[in-house]
Amino acid sequence: MLDLGVKPEIPLHQWTLAIDGLVKNPAMLDWAQFNALPQVEDVSDFHCVTSWSRYDCRWGGVAFATLYELVEPMPNARFVYFTGFDGYSTNVPLEKCLDDDVLVATRFEGQPIVREHGGPARVIVPKLYAWKGAKFVKGITFLEEDKLGFWEVRGYSNGADPWKEERYA
Ligand SMILES: Nc1nc2c(c(=O)[nH]1)N[C@H]1C(S)=C(S)[C@@H](COP(=O)(O)O)O[C@H]1N2
Ligand SMILES: [Mo]
């Protein structure tokens, strides 16, 4: 599956990223504030559950770890729940989000991410199946208990490790 079929148009002046839940400093970043954070680039592969993969994708944006440091999650935060402007959601264990290849990406191959592929900003979790990365991301919530996202509720594997081919629960 590629997407919910809704590709929301989000003008940059209306874009915000809310980071909340079990954190000391909840944040609501606008586009300028987000882009003022340290930027990184990472090359990774991309695996959809319906068997296609794309290799050597060069993503640019803000490392998840940078956002983590900004909001200072509480010690009991163990899971992360991502939401998108299209109503999508997905969940990832916090420790998997802290790998240095996990980004909130705003660029693909040096160009702004187009709406077709989840721009202005999308989450990339290269070691997991692509549905674990929310396109059109608008919210990141730190939780103590895991909360299943859109596809996870509909029977996709919660582990989502492509090397174990964990596709369906
Ligand atoms: N917001 C949002 N993110 C999403 C989805 C979606 O429907 N909405 N689909 C997921 C799935 S199943 C895949 S395979 C990838 C597809 O990314 P692409 O459209 O850039 O290929 O986005 C993931 N992230
Ligand atoms: Mo997918």
Side-chain angles (χ1 to χ4, degrees):
M1 289 299 297
L2 297 184
D3 54 54
L4 296 182
V6 188
K7 293 189 172 59
E9 170 94 68
I10 307 129
L12 295 182
H13 68 272
Q14 282 173 15
W15 184 90
T16 51
L17 178 63
I19 314 177
D20 56 20
L22 296 171
V23 299
K24 287 192 197 124
N25 309 310
M28 175 68 95
L29 303 171
D30 65 21
W31 187 247
Q33 291 165 329
F34 182 79
N35 286 287
L37 295 169
Q39 302 289 312
V40 292
E41 280 203 341
D42 185 72
V43 175
S44 59
D45 301 335
F46 196 73
H47 312 275
C48 177
V49 68
T50 51
S51 83
W52 55 268
S53 295
R54 237 181 282 132
Y55 298 97
D56 293 326
C57 301
R58 185 163 54 97
W59 301 102
V62 175
F64 183 92
T66 299
L67 301 173
Y68 177 91
E69 284 164 23
L70 182 74
V71 299
E72 294 187 59
M74 322 275 195
N76 56 337
R78 289 179 50 233
F79 294 93
V80 185
Y81 187 78
F82 295 94
T83 54
F85 283 98
D86 59 346
Y88 191 76
S89 55
T90 188
N91 55 303
V92 182
L94 175 56
E95 54 159 339
K96 303 259 182 202
C97 293
L98 292 173
D99 280 355
D100 58 10
D101 55 4
V102 178
L103 312 186
V104 175
T106 53
R107 293 184 309 284
F108 177 71
E109 303 298 342
Q111 301 295 320
I113 297 178
V114 295
R115 176 152 67 116
E116 193 66 27
H117 288 298
R122 73 179 295 166
V123 181
I124 298 295
V125 190
K127 294 191 187 77
L128 302 180
Y129 275 121
W131 87 78
K132 290 289 189 185
K135 302 194 281 190
F136 319 106
V137 63
K138 72 164 185 189
I140 301 178
T141 303
F142 289 83
L143 300 172
E144 179 162 14
E145 305 286 344
D146 203 5
K147 174 176 169 183
L148 299 182
F150 182 84
W151 284 121
E152 292 81 5
V153 169
R154 289 163 177 78
Y156 278 30
S157 142
N158 198 27
D161 182 338
W163 304 117
K164 298 185 200 146
E165 300 209 17
E166 286 177 355
R167 296 199 170 103
Y168 305 101

